[in-house]
Amino acid sequence: MSTNNLNEDPEGTIPVNQAVQLAANWRVYLATSGQAFVAQSFLIPIINFQNILQYNPDADSVRAYIGLEDPTDPTTAQLLLAPVSGGQDIVSLPQGNGGGDGGVGNPPSNIYDYTSVCPPTCAATGSPLSE
C-alpha cells in the first residue's frame, strides 16, 4: 500500500486524462461497432469492495467477469467480482470466514455482484469520463 500524501497519485491509479481518453475510446467503439452491447460503465456498491477486503485479506487482485441475466439481452450485463490470490479465483469463502449458506454442501459464495449497467440503469452525469 502506498504512503503517498494527498498531493500524489495513489498507487494503482492512472492519470485522469488517460482515463478520459480510454472511456472516450470505448464510446467511439460503441457508436461505430453496430453492437447491441451499449454499456459505458458499471455502478458497483462499495460494500462489494469492503467485503472482498474483509473476507480475503491475502488476495492480491480482483478479477471482473461480464455476465448476463438474460443471454439474449446485453442491457442485463453485470460485473462478477472474484478475489484472486496467486492467479486463482477464490470463489468460495474459506470455512469459518462468515457469510451465508451457499446451499446444501456448498461453501458460502465469495463472488460479488450487485452491479448495475449504465445505461440503462444509471448514468454518470457530470463526470469527465462520461462526456
Side-chain angles (χ1 to χ4, degrees):
M1 176 101 8
S2 176
T3 58
N4 292 344
N5 66 38
L6 294 179
N7 294 323
E8 297 177 3
D9 293 336
E11 182 179 339
T13 63
I14 64 172
V16 172
N17 60 347
Q18 181 181 357
V20 168
Q21 185 61 57
L22 292 171
N25 291 348
W26 178 249
R27 288 191 307 279
V28 168
Y29 168 76
L30 291 175
T32 60
S33 70
Q35 298 294 317
F37 185 78
V38 295
Q40 293 182 16
S41 63
F42 288 87
L43 184 64
I44 305 168
I46 200 71
I47 191 68
N48 289 0
F49 297 110
Q50 291 169 332
N51 284 337
I52 287 171
L53 292 170
Q54 177 181 348
Y55 294 115
N56 303 279
D58 296 331
D60 49 54
S61 57
V62 174
R63 187 171 283 122
Y65 293 90
I66 298 173
L68 293 174
E69 285 188 40
D70 178 342
T72 64
D73 183 0
T75 65
T76 66
Q78 295 181 317
L79 282 183
L80 311 173
L81 305 174
V84 176
S85 181
Q88 299 295 310
D89 292 353
I90 308 167
V91 298
S92 299
L93 285 175
Q95 291 293 336
N97 202 7
D101 182 11
V104 177
N106 295 322
S109 176
N110 199 29
I111 300 174
Y112 299 85
D113 174 38
Y114 287 104
T115 62
S116 301
V117 66
C118 309
T121 306
C122 54
T125 57
S127 170
L129 297 174
S130 66
E131 297 173 357

